């Protein structure tokens, strides 16, 4: 077996040494060759193949630079679209993933000198939304795919249709309430008139036991008539008092049933918004590490929060290795245990309350919990995934 064979020890050794990323200053973009040291790069620059590539590039240098710039831009934007979608992300995170491919186009062969210049160019050309923060530049891909735009318009149309249905039902309920209120106000009330006689000599007689009334000169009839008039007068007075009290009651009751329901819902929403915060870390809960900056050793591994600092940072202890790390709350996420386990509610109206996980509703991204502490112990509530976490 010769020294240049594929399975020779020398060839295997060279492939092992060339594995992974090498130094950028020893890479030739024209020849697409990576050298391991300065001597190898010097020998490559003196080689005949490299000299031929330089002669080709010297004839039309703009053509080669435009080609490399276009390839770099296309690969970078494609990685941003596939890997992160339309999420807002730091430009350095995308660039580190891009250069992890050994065959990538190097930035020193393009028209951009720095990553910041390239990021600004993406914003000016309308490929991404860019914004500068104290932590650096952030980019967000703008998806102009016709299928995506059609899907978004369909979702907006459905939302508008649902809102129209809700408004239509609300208007129908208001119309029913208004009709009911108007019907009560327009109910016929009895009209009381003054008792008049056609002639002064005629006497009015009320015969309560008989079906007809007669006029006569009897004394007993006149006595009965007087008592009947008193009774009618007292009855009319009571009816007037009752009608006036009903009118005052209607004046006091200004709000309809629908208005009271809407007011209760608004108070409930305001109460829930008042108790919600943008920080949720608590000691003695189990979280999962989501950041990749710490390497595969800690990525997607579970840890226990031992201490919370400044509300947004926490000192965690890895369950597998026992290592202690200080992480931001954006770099961890809550852990949902199996039904029957104890959890701690981290946000919302039942914050800092321990509960028992009864069931999980995957469709609505929530779970049913039974409160195990506090004044409302034993109450069953529905809580979103991000608002509770497994207890250590």
């Amino acid at each position: 077996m010769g020294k240049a064979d594929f399975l020779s020890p020398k060839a295997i050794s060279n492939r092992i040494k060339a594995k992974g990323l090498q130094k950028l200053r020893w890479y030739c973009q024209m020849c697409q060759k990576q050298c391991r040291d300065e001597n190898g790069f010097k020998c490559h620059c003196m080689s005949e193949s490299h000299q031929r590539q330089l002669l080709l590039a010297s004839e039309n240098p703009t053509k080669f630079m435009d080609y490399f710039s276009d390839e770099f831009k296309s690969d970078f934007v494609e990685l941003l679209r596939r890997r992160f979608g339309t999420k807002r992300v730091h430009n350095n995170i995308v660039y580190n993933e891009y250069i992890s491919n050994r065959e990538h186009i190097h930035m020193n062969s393009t028209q951009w000198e720095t990553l910041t210049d390239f990021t600004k160019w993406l914003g000016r050309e309308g490929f991404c939304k860019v914004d500068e923060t104290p932590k650096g530049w952030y980019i967000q891909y703008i998806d102009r795919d016709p299928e995506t735009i059609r899907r978004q318009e369909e979702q907006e149309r459905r939302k508008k249709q649902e809102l129209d249905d809700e408004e239509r039902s609300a208007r129908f309920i208001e119309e029913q309430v208004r009709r009911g209120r108007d019907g009560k106000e327009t109910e016929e009330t009895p009209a009381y008139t003054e008792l008049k006689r056609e002639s002064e000599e005629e006497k009015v007689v009320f015969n309560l036991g008989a079906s007809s009334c007669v006029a006569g000169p009897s004394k007993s009839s006149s006595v009965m008539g007087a008592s009947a008039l008193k009774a009618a007068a007292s009855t009319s007075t009571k009816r007037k008092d009752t009608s006036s009290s009903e009118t005052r009651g209607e004046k006091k009751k200004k709000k309809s049933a629908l208005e009271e329901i809407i007011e209760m819902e608004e108070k409930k929403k305001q109460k829930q918004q008042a108790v919600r915060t943008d920080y949720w870390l608590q000691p003695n809960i189990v979280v999962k590490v989501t950041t990749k900056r710490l390497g595969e050793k800690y990525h997607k591994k579970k840890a226990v929060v031992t201490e919370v600092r400044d509300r947004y940072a926490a000192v965690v202890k890895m369950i597998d290795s026992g290592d202690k790390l200080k992480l931001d709350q954006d770099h961890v996420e809550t852990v949902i245990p199996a039904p029957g386990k104890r959890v701690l509610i981290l946000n919302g109206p039942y914050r800092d309350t321990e509960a028992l996980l009864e069931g999980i509703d995957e469709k609505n991204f929530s779970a049913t919990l039974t409160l195990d502490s506090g004044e409302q112990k034993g109450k069953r509530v529905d809580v979103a995934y991000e608002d509770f976490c497994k207890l250590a």
Side-chain angles (χ1 to χ4, degrees):
M1 182 180 292
K3 292 184 179 180
D5 292 339
F6 182 74
L7 295 178
S8 63
K10 184 66 175 177
I12 295 174
S13 176
N14 289 337
R15 286 197 299 273
I16 293 174
K17 291 178 182 178
K19 188 177 182 180
L21 296 175
Q22 306 291 327
K23 289 190 176 180
L24 181 61
R25 62 177 178 172
W26 296 332
Y27 180 82
C28 178
Q29 184 65 62
M30 287 297 302
C31 303
Q32 296 183 358
K33 180 175 178 58
Q34 175 70 58
C35 301
R36 293 196 299 271
D37 52 19
E38 187 174 358
N39 185 37
F41 185 71
K42 181 180 179 181
C43 294
H44 170 73
C45 292
M46 296 173 62
S47 64
E48 184 180 355
S49 62
H50 181 74
Q51 296 296 328
R52 286 197 303 267
Q53 293 293 334
L54 287 182
L55 289 175
L56 291 174
S58 62
E59 294 177 359
N60 193 356
T62 308
K63 175 182 176 182
F64 285 90
M65 182 173 288
D66 292 342
Y67 171 75
F68 291 139
S69 300
D70 187 62
E71 288 293 320
F72 178 82
K73 183 266 296 180
S74 300
D75 295 342
F76 188 91
V77 173
E78 183 67 16
L79 174 65
L80 177 63
R81 183 183 70 85
R82 291 184 177 273
R83 174 66 177 82
F84 300 98
T86 56
K87 294 191 298 184
R88 181 174 174 268
V89 63
H90 200 283
N91 61 349
N92 203 30
I93 296 177
V94 185
Y95 182 71
N96 288 333
E97 290 200 16
Y98 173 74
I99 65 175
S100 62
N101 180 19
R102 187 180 177 185
E103 304 298 331
H104 71 277
I105 303 296
H106 289 68
M107 185 177 285
N108 59 358
S109 62
T110 64
Q111 63 184 8
W112 304 288
E113 296 182 358
T114 61
L115 181 60
T116 302
D117 295 339
F118 177 63
T119 303
K120 293 179 180 178
W121 182 85
L122 288 176
R124 289 195 301 268
E125 295 297 324
F127 291 100
C128 303
K129 296 179 182 178
V130 299
D131 59 308
E132 186 180 8
T133 64
K135 295 183 179 180
W137 287 86
Y138 282 82
I139 57 178
Q140 184 178 1
Y141 177 70
I142 302 175
D143 194 353
R144 291 189 173 88
D145 185 30
E147 183 65 22
T148 304
I149 296 175
R150 186 193 63 79
R151 196 182 307 113
Q152 292 176 354
E153 291 178 353
E154 182 69 18
Q155 292 178 357
E156 292 178 358
R157 187 180 63 80
R158 290 180 180 177
K159 289 182 180 179
K160 185 177 180 180
Q161 185 177 1
E162 291 177 358
L163 292 175
D164 292 341
D165 293 340
E166 292 178 359
E167 292 176 358
R168 194 180 299 110
S169 61
R171 286 198 298 268
F172 177 75
I173 294 174
E174 290 179 356
E175 183 67 19
Q176 294 293 330
V177 173
R178 187 184 62 79
R179 288 180 180 178
R181 192 186 304 123
D182 294 343
K184 289 182 179 179
E185 292 177 357
T186 56
E187 284 182 355
E188 293 184 358
T189 55
Y192 301 101
T193 58
E194 184 181 356
L195 183 61
K196 294 182 179 180
R197 291 182 293 180
E198 295 179 358
S199 62
E200 295 295 334
E201 298 179 356
E202 183 181 3
K203 294 183 179 179
V204 178
V205 179
F206 293 93
N207 189 359
L208 299 178
S211 59
S212 59
C213 58
V214 294
S218 62
K219 185 178 182 181
S220 60
S221 298
S222 62
V223 174
M224 289 293 292
S227 62
L229 286 173
K230 290 181 180 179
S234 62
T235 305
S236 63
T237 305
K238 289 181 181 180
R239 288 181 179 178
K240 289 181 180 179
D241 294 340
T242 306
S243 61
S244 60
S245 62
E246 289 179 356
T247 305
R248 287 194 299 269
E250 289 179 358
K251 290 182 180 179
K252 290 181 180 179
K253 187 180 179 182
K254 295 180 180 179
K255 296 182 179 179
S256 63
L258 179 62
E259 293 174 348
E260 291 179 356
I261 293 173
I262 295 174
E263 185 178 355
M264 290 174 62
E265 290 294 332
E266 290 180 353
K267 289 182 179 179
K268 187 177 179 180
K269 288 181 180 178
Q270 292 176 0
K271 184 179 179 181
Q272 290 180 355
Q273 292 176 358
V275 298
R276 289 193 64 84
T277 58
D278 57 347
Y279 56 89
W280 52 267
L281 287 173
Q282 294 288 345
N284 299 325
I285 61 174
V286 180
V287 296
K288 183 185 290 185
V289 181
T290 57
T291 181
K292 292 184 178 179
R293 296 183 181 180
L294 303 177
E296 295 296 331
K297 181 180 179 181
Y298 302 111
H299 183 56
K300 295 295 183 181
K301 298 296 189 297
K302 294 181 181 179
V304 179
V305 178
T306 59
E307 183 183 354
V308 178
R309 297 180 180 179
D310 299 330
R311 294 182 177 180
Y312 299 94
V315 178
V316 302
K317 182 178 180 181
M318 305 303 298
I319 295 178
D320 296 340
S321 59
D323 299 341
K324 287 189 175 182
L325 306 172
K326 183 180 178 182
L327 299 173
D328 190 81
Q329 73 172 7
D330 294 336
H331 297 159
V332 295
E333 64 181 10
T334 58
V335 175
I336 301 174
K341 300 292 184 179
R342 292 176 59 81
V343 297
L344 179 66
I345 300 177
L346 308 175
N347 218 335
Y350 307 103
R351 186 186 181 97
D352 300 333
T353 304
E354 296 183 6
L356 190 67
L357 181 59
E358 298 291 345
I360 298 175
D361 187 0
E362 297 181 356
K363 185 177 180 181
N364 296 323
F365 302 101
S366 62
T368 303
L369 306 179
T370 301
L371 303 183
D372 202 14
S373 61
E375 299 179 356
Q376 300 181 352
K377 183 177 181 181
K379 182 180 179 180
R380 293 169 66 93
V381 294
D382 291 333
V383 183
Y385 284 166
E386 63 271 12
D387 291 344
F388 71 92
C389 186
K390 178 182 178 181
L391 277 171

